[in-house]
Amino acid sequence: MRRQVLLFISILSLSSVSGQVSYSVPEEMAKGSFVGNIAQDLGLDVKRLKLGNARVYSGDSREYIELNSERGVLLIKERIDREALCGDMTPCAVHFQIVLENPMEFYSVTVEITDINDNAPTFEKNEIKFIISESLVVGAKFDLERAVDLDVGINSLQSYILKPSDTFLLKLHNQADGTKNVEMVLQKPLDRERNEFISLALTAVDGGEPQMSGTMQILITVLDANDNAPVFTKPIYKGIVAENAAKGTIVTTVSASDADHGLHGKITYSITNTLDDVRHMFDVNEDSGEVRLIGRLDYEKKRNFQINVRARDNGGLTDSCKVIVDVIDINDNEPTIKIMSKSAVISESANSNTVITMINIQDPDSGENGKVQCFINDNIPFVLKSTSNNFYSLLTESDLDRERASDYNITVTCSDEGVPSLSSSVTLTLQISDVNDNAPVFERSSYEAYIVENNTPGLSIFTVRARDADWNQNARVSYILEDSSVNGVPVSSYVSVSADSGVIHAVRSFDYEQIKDFHFHVKAQDGGSPPLSSNVTVKMLIQDQNDNPPQVLYPVQTGGSLVAEMVPRSADVSYLVTKVVAVDVDSGQNAWLSYKLQKATDRALFEVGLQNGEIRTIRQVTDKDAVKQRLTVIVEDNGQPSRSATVIVNVAVADSFPEVLSEFTDFTHDKEYSDNLTFYLVLALAVVSFLFITCLVVIISVKIYRWRQSRIMFHSNLPVIPYYPPRYSDTLGTGTLQHVYNYEVCRTTDSRKSDCKFGTAGSQNVLIMDPSATGTMQRIQSEKSILDEPDSPLEVRIC
């Protein structure tokens, strides 16, 4: 077997590679027969064929050749019959492309199919009959049917042999199309009386090895004389017909004449083509010689026809002519778009001029009707370029952005240049795969959140939310609390953030009085590789809750002593008795305090300022008013719900201290006795003797002191000046306490059980009784009250 290989490789300017390889193989080779080593001839590695998913692309043609990627060779896929594939066309070849991917490359391959002598010459009929007049002169010619051999070249029909050859001689005439016209020539006169029937054998022989032949019988009946044969007006007739011409269209008209008269001069016409399809396409009227179209023409299948027409008279004499019919092309085929290879998905990071799809365009029309131009839809980042004749590549023209367009429908439209123009289109869907090129973006540049103090730990406060323009894993956002500290404490001990939802939770219960606000940062990070992130600042504001009741600073409520405010009976209306001072450590309206008189011995005598807590007389004091007045003042804040504190203020209505002493000592004495009756009875039995002597001394001392003190107090109108310990101060300027006050305290000893302690608070009208004291002098700092501060400035006087 002979195999010829021709290799032509041309490198294109684009990323796809085009080359051409040619092989030559005989027809009728068995399936799996070796054609050629395509990998070696193209200079490719066999691994490249495997990794590139190498395959054969033959368009609409049947695939006669297959590629073995493991060996890199081309093999016969199915038996090839050259005659069925190409007919009488030479050379006969199979054209296809080898397509590779990653990167995309294609190579054109041509396999020429050489002929073998597998077809014998054949005649359309096994026999042919002639009726010949015996008067026919020597040299008369008889046109014989030609044999047909489907083979080509040396294997085709070469010669004819006529046996016996004593009466007739065989002559061959070469035609312009390479065929041979066969004529039988009379070489001696006929004698009907001697031989009425003559039988001849015409044998057609080809030139192949082994030689093959076909035979047709010629039966001749000898008649009486018909000495003139028909003669055509011209040897060749021509006709033109469009491929879309309707059936019945007259192509041309042939004409022959016969010099004989009567029946011997009557001519009939017939088509003598044998094995081709002329008889299926054309017909000739046997009387008029009109050649008509009877079939459907297709320029793309056959562009011209040769019709052999015979004129025959009744005497059997004939003449022949040719009718050449040219088919005119009509633009009746739209371009065919074939996708050789394509990518369905491309990364948005792909570079410009990346090949996406390779396209083959076919239009079987000719001339302008077969010229095709292709284009794609506008406003897309792609371009269609022609790589070679009838091949296009679709490439990226600019950078891609999946966030702007996640997919494209690319419509490729191809139009020919016929009139009217025909076009076809195909739509390619291309998905853009995501690259992590967008960081998460928070919905706000900063957040401000509020939470009411005394919250439950784990409470959901609010939600931060970030969006990522990427897709899938690259757009999956996780939230992370950035490390920082608040007052030296890690922020993670205050709040936490849900990694998936961005919900901010309180880790602890907040106290507005300890912390009012703080800042922290939340990072949003996507799931890409590498991940991208962004930060946002969150300001957390603690809202106050009315969780602290008011605290009374003055008058001081002690466990064992009794404070009394003295009001002289000569006091006028609106006389300032004292001022209830309270604070609330809450803020805002939760710290707005109001004072109300809840209970009083005589409600018609005193009133309390709603805002300032000042206790004043509302009428003139009379002699009928009781010396001992007890006021219960309630202090309320403005919170919801409101909280309150209660303070008891004892007021003595008297002009002198001795006048008051017995009343308040009895009051305290009775109170203590009612609470500790058993204790005092036991104690009285033990100290009765001691008290008798002590009381005499005390009474004398008290009388002297009372006389002196009453004179001072009676003439004094100084206001009460309360004392605020240093640790109490107004919070944010919303409390009721604004200054620091000092008190002077003076103590003495009661004549009964208690020590008498009284202090001068500016106006010297404050009386402090301590029934439980056992000494004659105690410092006021020993009392467990809000006034017990080591830095309290106290002046102690011994009376």
Side-chain angles (χ1 to χ4, degrees), residues 463-695:
T463 302
V464 296
R465 185 167 284 108
R467 304 292 183 186
D468 196 311
D470 292 321
W471 182 75
N472 206 358
Q473 185 66 27
N474 294 331
R476 186 169 299 167
V477 179
S478 299
Y479 301 91
I480 303 170
L481 183 65
E482 293 279 27
D483 292 335
S484 61
S485 61
V486 178
N487 298 330
V489 179
V491 71
S492 58
S493 63
Y494 286 88
V495 293
S496 66
V497 59
S498 174
D500 296 328
S501 62
V503 177
I504 306 296
H505 297 273
V507 175
R508 62 165 64 176
S509 178
F510 293 101
D511 187 354
Y512 176 83
E513 288 69 42
Q514 293 182 1
I515 182 170
K516 294 178 175 56
D517 62 73
F518 61 93
H519 298 76
F520 59 92
H521 301 282
V522 176
K523 179 171 72 173
Q525 179 174 289
D526 60 28
S529 179
L532 300 178
S533 63
S534 60
N535 291 357
V536 71
T537 300
V538 180
K539 182 178 181 181
M540 186 69 67
L541 299 173
I542 313 301
Q543 292 182 327
D544 183 46
Q545 191 178 42
N546 193 26
D547 57 343
N548 292 283
Q551 299 182 26
V552 178
L553 302 183
Y554 185 85
V556 179
Q557 301 292 295
T558 61
S561 62
L562 181 64
V563 178
E565 306 290 341
M566 293 187 63
V567 178
R569 294 186 181 275
S570 61
D572 295 330
V573 178
S574 298
Y575 176 82
L576 178 63
V577 178
T578 186
K579 181 177 182 179
V580 177
V581 180
V583 295
D584 194 321
V585 295
D586 292 323
S587 67
Q589 66 178 8
N590 294 330
W592 297 350
L593 301 180
S594 60
Y595 303 85
K596 297 178 182 179
L597 184 61
Q598 187 180 38
K599 295 180 182 180
T601 303
D602 187 354
R603 298 186 67 90
L605 182 58
F606 302 99
E607 69 176 356
V608 179
L610 180 64
Q611 302 298 330
N612 55 23
E614 293 179 348
I615 300 177
R616 295 180 181 270
T617 59
I618 57 177
R619 63 175 174 81
Q620 184 72 41
V621 180
T622 65
D623 294 338
K624 295 181 181 180
D625 292 327
V627 175
K628 184 171 54 178
Q629 298 286 336
R630 183 183 179 93
L631 308 178
T632 302
V633 179
I634 183 169
V635 184
E636 292 183 339
D637 58 27
N638 198 37
Q640 293 294 332
S642 176
R643 291 177 174 268
S644 63
T646 304
V647 60
I648 297 176
V649 180
N650 294 302
V651 179
V653 180
D655 293 329
S656 64
F657 176 76
E659 183 181 353
V660 179
L661 184 61
S662 60
E663 291 292 337
F664 279 88
T665 54
D666 290 342
F667 173 78
T668 59
H669 181 74
D670 294 341
K671 183 178 182 299
E672 294 294 334
Y673 268 56
S674 63
D675 295 335
N676 303 293
L677 180 60
T678 303
F679 172 75
Y680 286 116
L681 289 175
V682 176
L683 183 61
L685 292 176
V687 299
V688 64
S689 298
F690 175 77
L691 290 177
F692 178 75
I693 298 172
T694 304
C695 286

Side-chain angles (χ1 to χ4, degrees), residues 331 333-336 361-366 369-372 416:
N331 191 26
N333 291 280
E334 62 184 20
T336 302
I361 310 300
Q362 298 177 0
D363 192 326
D365 292 324
S366 64
N369 296 331
K371 292 182 180 180
V372 179
D416 59 30

Side-chain angles (χ1 to χ4, degrees), residues 139-179:
K141 297 181 295 183
F142 298 88
D143 186 37
L144 300 180
E145 292 184 2
R146 292 176 297 174
V148 176
D149 192 339
L150 297 179
D151 293 326
V152 294
I154 193 65
N155 296 322
S156 66
L157 178 64
Q158 298 296 317
S159 63
Y160 293 87
I161 301 173
L162 182 64
K163 293 182 179 180
S165 59
D166 55 340
T167 304
F168 292 89
L169 177 66
L170 189 65
K171 285 188 178 182
L172 302 178
H173 300 280
N174 293 326
Q175 303 296 314
D177 59 355
T179 61

Side-chain angles (χ1 to χ4, degrees), residues 705 708-709 712-713 718 743-749 756-764 776-781 794-799:
Y705 176 78
R708 294 175 60 189
Q709 191 68 24
I712 299 172
M713 296 177 63
L718 297 175
Y743 292 90
E744 292 183 358
V745 180
C746 183
R747 301 184 178 183
T748 186
T749 306
C756 179
K757 295 180 286 183
F758 64 93
T760 60
S763 62
Q764 299 182 1
T776 60
M777 175 69 70
Q778 292 184 352
R779 293 182 62 85
I780 196 167
Q781 286 89 339
L794 299 176
E795 180 181 351
V796 180
R797 296 181 182 179
I798 302 175
C799 303

Side-chain angles (χ1 to χ4, degrees), residues 765-797:
N765 61 348
V766 180
L767 179 66
I768 301 178
M769 304 299 294
D770 188 358
S772 63
T774 57
T776 60
M777 175 69 70
Q778 292 184 352
R779 293 182 62 85
I780 196 167
Q781 286 89 339
S782 63
E783 297 297 326
K784 296 182 179 178
S785 68
I786 197 170
L787 298 174
D788 297 342
E789 292 292 335
D791 55 352
S792 301
L794 299 176
E795 180 181 351
V796 180
R797 296 181 182 179

